[in-house]
Amino acid sequence: MTPATSVKTFKIDGRDFSASADQTILDVARENKIFIPRMCELDGLSPVGACRLCLVEVKGSNKLLPSCVTHVEEGMEVTTTSERLNHYRKMIVELLFSERNHVCSVCVSNGHCELQNMAQKLGITHVRFPYRNPKVEVDASHDRFVIDHNRCILCTRCVRVCDEIEGAHTWDIMGRGVESKMVTDLNQPWGSSETCTGCGKCVHVCPTGALFEKGRSVAEMEKRRSFLPYLTLMREEHE
Amino acid sequence: MTPDELNEIAETERESQERFTHRVNVCVAAGCVSCQSHAVKDALDKDISRRGWGDHCQARGVGCMGLCSEGPLVSTGVRTANDRLYKRVAAADAAEILDSLEGALVSRLHCPTDVPFFQRQKKIVLENSGVIDPERIEDYISAEGYQALIRALTEMTPREVVEQVMASGLRGRGGAGYPTGLKWSTVAKSFGVQKFVICNADEGDPGAFMDRSVLESDPHRVLEGMLIAAYAVGSSDGYIYVRAEYPLAIKRLRNAIRQAERAGLLGANICGTRFSFKIDLRLGAGAFVCGEETALIASVEGKRGTPRARPPYPAMEGLLGQPTLINNVETFANIPPIVRKGGDWYAQIGTEKSKGTKVFALAGRVQNTGLVEVPMGITLREMVFDIGGGIPDGRKFKAVQTGGPSGGCLPAEVLDQPVDYESLARLGSIMGSGGMIVIDESSCMVDVAKYFMDFCMTESCGKCTPCRVGTYQMHRILSSITNMTATPQDLAMLEDFCDLLKHTSLCGLGQSAPNPVVSTLKSFAAEYKAHIEDHTCPAGVCGKQAGGGARE
């Protein structure tokens, strides 16, 4: 925090808070155990504002604002939950389910999946839109890890952890729109990647069963995130 | 380059032009080039030298003359006048046109210019289009070119320039209509180690070609606008982001930049002042979303062209994190006349909140298709029926689509509404960059909506969920409607998606993607109903052929 940073006071869901001006609405909510749904954001990685689940209402603004990238402002009045927001959030999660082939009962992450948990939390019992059922492949060419594109929700956490924490930038995205796809190097098989260090961070930040360790069967893949705050701290100290 | 030197170039150019008693101007913008206008010019050149007329008669390439549907266009006149316009000219007509220079016009090819298409226009941005040779800086200078720049540099402070632009009331011509003066003043006041000026020439709306025409017909005007902007905001580096699909515009821009550098109008210490500015081209790789300013900046930086959340706005943190001014081609093209004649002069034209003129690319089922520049506030009816000449083949008007895939379809009931930013927004469409597609009774409005949704779906960058998957789901529902397999529940879901995308998408592409659906649902609900309940297409388009008519 630079000395110039000022402190702002504002309201979230009617409660008063203060925070430094470089904090986002989500930072403050997290500190104070206010739950805001999100899929692409992960503490320790740079926010991208892509999944649109963390949108909140701000009094005086006719637009919904993504809380992961919106900084707090003096006098701001934020509402994190409303009927309208819940309606949108449900639709967005359903869209994620309909996009690829999310079949929980046969997924390595069943029971430990952020997408599944989010659906339960939002009270989604079924998906109202037809599944797109695209034909996408599984890349199991790596010695220890597998990417199953059927479960990918394009949150780009793997891209960011690989670039920002590991410094390898093995992962990136190709194509556009609904045809977008995660790739290693220049769309080479993961196993032949020359930049991948095999650290496995991407696997553990992945919210779903898209990235998992070889040898895990249904419901056996639990992600370990404990390394992330430590690495973030190290990075910040280094800077 | 000093003011005197500039005047000398203009004088020399005028003298050399007046040597020719006769001039034959051939349009060499992309529309006419595509129907062989180069062959026409070659034939004219050959015939002139064969006749030994080289000393008093000249054939020149000029920019777009507007009536693109009747190309190749050729205009002739005594000295610098262009009083005769010929349409659909072929190379074989060269001799006949040259024969007619002294006598009666060639009535077979004659295109009358006393019709509303020409008379109702007011040309500011296009004042030089079809008049000067876009490949010669001398020709631009002789048409008062670069005088505004020299005036700004030598007589005005940067602040005064911003004040003139503010006074003009000019609003961004890229579509959103943000006040240009306010944007300039924000960038001028932002603090950064370096500032950038970017010209957005990534025009991608289906049926729109205003920016291409300006770049092909009068590239120096855009450079001059950027130079004045750079002086006003304190920038020394500029980029023009132009889509690679415009090879002729790129060629003419490269040529213009080289000429301006040679003339000392671009580069270090322009006109002997402390002001320096250079311009580089960046070519787009075919992504529509790169017309969105934050995606464009990412693309210029060499990254994947995806938008990011704003704020921070580019005026504060843009290219490489520095304050960046991004304006559209047409916005920059308006700047030289504003500085030359003053902001107050510009503010007299147009309506109260939308000043000046707007260039439209008139396309679709209309008699006269082409490029027109009209004062703001003209009615849609005048656009379609006077300037456009009405619907061909005796068919009935159905709708006019403005603003491309982000805009809406306006029905006959609102034809008497004025064309300006507020009115179009109130009617559920947008001004957009200036595409105007006329639709007649032979088109199905559901099919039209499906066409635009298909466009948004394939052009979505895929970053945010509502746009990436939502456009797919909306397109699926629209397809099921045109296949006659949709249910009333599907229609309710479609409306739900319109609301979701509008309010939750990350950038303008997703937020405005539902507009064609919303506007057709509002004005042509009966057509949706006929597809769903009666399984028929009133226009007879759907069900007949796969794919649909709007794509033709």
Side-chain angles (χ1 to χ4, degrees):
Chain A
M1 204 195 298
T2 57
T5 311
S6 56
V7 175
K8 311 282 184 189
T9 57
F10 51 92
K11 277 186 164 76
I12 298 181
D13 293 339
R15 286 164 62 194
D16 288 308
F17 292 104
S18 65
S20 68
D22 58 1
Q23 283 189 292
T24 63
I25 298 171
L26 186 61
D27 287 333
V28 181
R30 185 167 26 222
E31 271 175 24
N32 295 285
K33 308 251 180 316
I34 297 171
F35 173 70
I36 299 178
R38 58 201 184 263
M39 292 304 302
C40 65
E41 194 272 350
L42 188 66
D43 194 17
L45 301 181
S46 64
V48 288
C51 73
R52 315 308 282 174
L53 281 169
C54 74
L55 290 174
V56 292
E57 292 168 1
V58 174
K59 199 173 170 186
S61 166
N62 52 1
K63 282 189 170 168
L64 301 175
L65 300 175
S67 57
C68 64
V69 291
T70 306
H71 290 267
V72 295
E73 276 167 41
E74 188 63 36
M76 201 180 219
E77 289 183 36
V78 180
T79 309
T80 64
T81 322
S82 71
E83 207 171 303
R84 179 179 177 220
L85 287 173
N86 278 346
H87 176 71
Y88 288 155
R89 285 169 183 163
K90 273 186 186 174
M91 278 183 90
I92 290 169
V93 171
E94 285 176 82
L95 283 176
L96 286 173
F97 272 100
S98 77
E99 186 181 12
R100 300 228 173 148
N101 302 306
H102 294 281
V103 187
C104 299
S105 56
V106 293
C107 178
V108 288
S109 284
N110 189 8
H112 319 288
C113 170
E114 287 185 45
L115 184 65
Q116 194 182 31
N117 290 346
M118 186 64 67
Q120 284 165 0
K121 219 163 205 162
L122 294 173
I124 296 171
T125 52
H126 63 289
V127 177
R128 289 166 291 168
F129 330 130
Y131 269 39
R132 201 168 68 93
N133 292 325
K135 193 170 156 40
V136 284
E137 73 262 31
V138 177
D139 179 355
S141 59
H142 195 276
D143 289 344
R144 290 157 52 214
F145 312 121
V146 182
I147 175 154
D148 180 354
H149 294 287
N150 291 291
R151 315 281 194 237
C152 177
I153 59 165
L154 298 166
C155 67
T156 69
R157 283 187 192 175
C158 52
V159 178
R160 286 173 283 152
V161 79
C162 188
D163 176 42
E164 296 166 12
I165 308 284
E166 179 64 7
H169 204 134
T170 301
W171 288 105
D172 216 316
I173 223 169
M174 69 172 272
R176 64 184 178 212
V178 82
E179 305 294 338
S180 301
K181 184 191 151 195
M182 308 314 300
V183 288
T184 42
D185 288 357
L186 294 169
N187 196 21
Q188 309 300 309
W190 194 0
S192 67
S193 165
E194 288 174 7
T195 57
C196 177
T197 60
C199 72
K201 291 188 186 73
C202 51
V203 173
H204 291 285
V205 297
C206 175
T208 68
L211 286 164
F212 61 95
E213 291 168 346
K214 263 189 183 166
R216 302 280 179 170
S217 186
V218 173
E220 285 183 356
M221 184 66 219
E222 267 188 87
K223 307 283 171 96
R224 298 183 302 275
R225 302 269 163 75
S226 49
F227 68 92
L228 204 59
Y230 173 70
L231 288 174
T232 314
L233 194 70
M234 294 294 287
R235 185 186 58 173
E236 275 168 7
E237 274 179 8
H238 185 74
E239 279 169 2
Chain B
M1 178 80 68
T2 64
D4 290 340
E5 282 168 13
L6 196 77
N7 286 334
E8 203 183 306
I9 294 175
E11 206 46 55
T12 318
E13 175 66 17
R14 266 192 287 269
E15 269 170 31
S16 77
Q17 287 188 8
E18 274 164 20
R19 274 203 349 255
F20 299 102
T21 34
H22 290 291
R23 294 215 304 207
V24 185
N25 299 320
V26 184
C27 171
V28 289
C32 286
V33 166
S34 69
C35 36
Q36 313 302 325
S37 70
H38 277 308
V40 176
K41 183 165 180 294
D42 289 346
L44 284 164
D45 280 335
K46 238 181 246 164
D47 215 7
I48 288 171
S49 63
R50 190 181 56 82
R51 295 171 190 227
W53 284 10
D55 56 336
H56 72 279
C57 181
Q58 183 196 26
R60 343 181 280 156
V62 297
C64 182
M65 300 189 207
L67 196 55
C68 302
S69 57
E70 302 285 354
L73 296 168
V74 170
S75 71
T76 68
V78 178
R79 305 227 178 257
T80 48
N82 293 312
D83 37 21
R84 292 173 178 179
L85 184 65
Y86 294 114
K87 63 184 179 183
R88 296 182 190 270
V89 180
D93 300 325
E96 208 174 336
I97 288 176
L98 290 178
D99 288 339
S100 77
L101 287 178
E102 299 279 355
L105 49 78
V106 188
S107 51
R108 181 170 62 86
L109 302 167
H110 184 234
C111 178
T113 52
D114 52 357
V115 293
F117 181 85
F118 295 99
Q119 297 299 322
R120 297 299 278 276
Q121 294 196 46
K122 180 168 180 63
K123 297 199 171 185
I124 295 175
V125 170
L126 302 179
E127 61 183 349
N128 291 338
S129 292
V131 179
I132 65 162
D133 182 345
E135 297 189 352
R136 296 186 62 239
I137 191 172
E138 296 85 357
D139 217 350
Y140 179 66
I141 291 174
S142 76
E144 294 187 85
Y146 287 110
Q147 292 211 342
L149 172 70
I150 294 209
R151 184 153 169 236
L153 290 183
T154 55
E155 295 170 27
M156 296 163 84
T157 63
R159 203 193 152 125
E160 282 166 350
V161 177
V162 174
E163 276 166 8
Q164 286 303 317
V165 177
M166 280 222 178
S168 73
L170 177 67
R171 293 170 66 175
R173 295 291 191 248
Y178 190 80
T180 306
L182 187 57
K183 201 186 244 183
W184 285 30
S185 135
T186 312
V187 179
K189 285 174 182 162
S190 295
F191 179 77
V193 287
Q194 199 182 2
K195 288 180 189 174
F196 295 100
V197 170
I198 298 180
C199 172
N200 184 347
D202 192 54
E203 178 178 58
D205 290 359
F209 51 91
M210 301 74 53
D211 297 350
R212 191 199 70 207
S213 259
V214 171
L215 294 174
E216 286 173 356
S217 307
D218 200 3
H220 283 286
R221 164 179 296 264
V222 180
L223 301 188
E224 189 180 359
M226 286 180 74
L227 275 156
I228 295 169
Y231 173 70
V233 303
S235 160
S236 58
D237 283 284
Y239 291 95
I240 302 177
Y241 189 88
V242 54
R243 62 199 303 237
E245 291 89 336
Y246 284 176
L248 189 59
I250 293 165
K251 188 182 138 215
R252 298 224 166 115
L253 271 174
R254 286 210 167 110
N255 177 52
I257 290 172
R258 205 169 41 239
Q259 288 174 344
E261 281 169 350
R262 240 178 249 158
L265 291 162
L266 257 181
N269 300 100
I270 297 164
C271 304
T273 64
R274 285 167 57 199
F275 173 63
S276 302
F277 190 61
K278 69 179 179 61
I279 295 177
D280 271 330
L281 289 190
R282 285 289 178 273
L283 304 192
F288 176 70
V289 75
C290 286
E292 199 277 344
E293 56 182 13
T294 57
L296 187 152
I297 287 173
S299 182
V300 171
E301 287 172 348
K303 296 176 185 153
R304 187 176 155 84
T306 53
R308 61 158 173 82
R310 300 176 300 179
Y313 288 90
M316 266 81 89
E317 284 178 42
L319 187 61
L320 307 174
Q322 302 301 322
T324 302
L325 175 74
I326 299 195
N327 277 139
N328 172 265
V329 170
E330 197 185 328
T331 314
F332 281 126
N334 269 302
I335 298 299
I338 288 175
V339 172
R340 218 162 50 218
K341 302 182 189 173
D344 295 334
W345 161 79
Y346 194 83
Q348 289 167 5
I349 308 159
T351 67
E352 196 199 332
K353 285 187 172 167
S354 304
K355 302 294 186 192
T357 58
K358 177 78 192 87
V359 182
F360 284 99
L362 202 54
R365 301 283 166 84
V366 63
Q367 205 79 46
N368 306 323
T369 60
L371 198 70
V372 295
E373 183 172 1
V374 291
M376 294 275 192
I378 191 169
T379 64
L380 286 164
R381 187 182 299 281
E382 288 173 287
M383 284 296 294
V384 176
F385 289 95
D386 294 350
I387 292 175
I391 316 294
D393 307 328
R395 279 201 280 254
K396 235 178 93 194
F397 170 88
K398 190 181 231 174
V400 55
Q401 209 278 348
T402 69
S406 313
C409 299
L410 303 171
E413 295 84 72
V414 300
L415 271 177
D416 289 311
Q417 293 290 320
V419 175
D420 60 52
Y421 290 101
E422 276 74 25
S423 305
L424 289 180
R426 204 180 54 242
L427 297 172
S429 186
I430 58 164
M431 175 76 83
S433 58
M436 195 171 265
I437 301 171
V438 180
I439 297 164
D440 72 9
E441 57 187 340
S442 65
S443 295
C444 165
M445 297 314 287
V446 186
D447 188 53
V448 169
K450 189 179 87 174
Y451 165 80
F452 284 110
M453 192 49 68
D454 182 62
F455 183 88
C456 290
M457 178 178 74
T458 49
E459 291 298 341
S460 164
C461 75
K463 182 171 178 175
C464 77
T465 321
C467 177
R468 182 180 72 230
V469 202
T471 52
Y472 164 80
Q473 291 285 1
M474 288 181 77
H475 182 261
R476 183 191 58 77
I477 296 175
L478 288 165
S479 299
S480 72
I481 297 176
T482 55
N483 291 340
M484 318 290 176
T485 54
T487 61
Q489 287 78 16
D490 285 329
L491 192 63
M493 188 60 80
L494 185 67
E495 286 176 334
D496 231 9
F497 276 126
C498 288
D499 181 51
L500 178 81
L501 264 69
K502 182 177 177 205
H503 292 107
T504 65
S505 294
L506 171 63
C507 81
L509 194 159
Q511 288 162 8
S512 60
N515 284 354
V517 179
V518 173
S519 65
T520 47
L521 271 172
K522 184 177 149 201
S523 307
F524 302 95
E527 288 196 31
Y528 281 86
K529 214 174 137 198
H531 285 79
I532 294 167
E533 291 178 6
D534 310 329
H535 307 288
T536 55
C537 174
V541 173
C542 306
K544 254 195 209 160
Q545 76 251 42
R551 215 155 305 180
E552 288 169 7

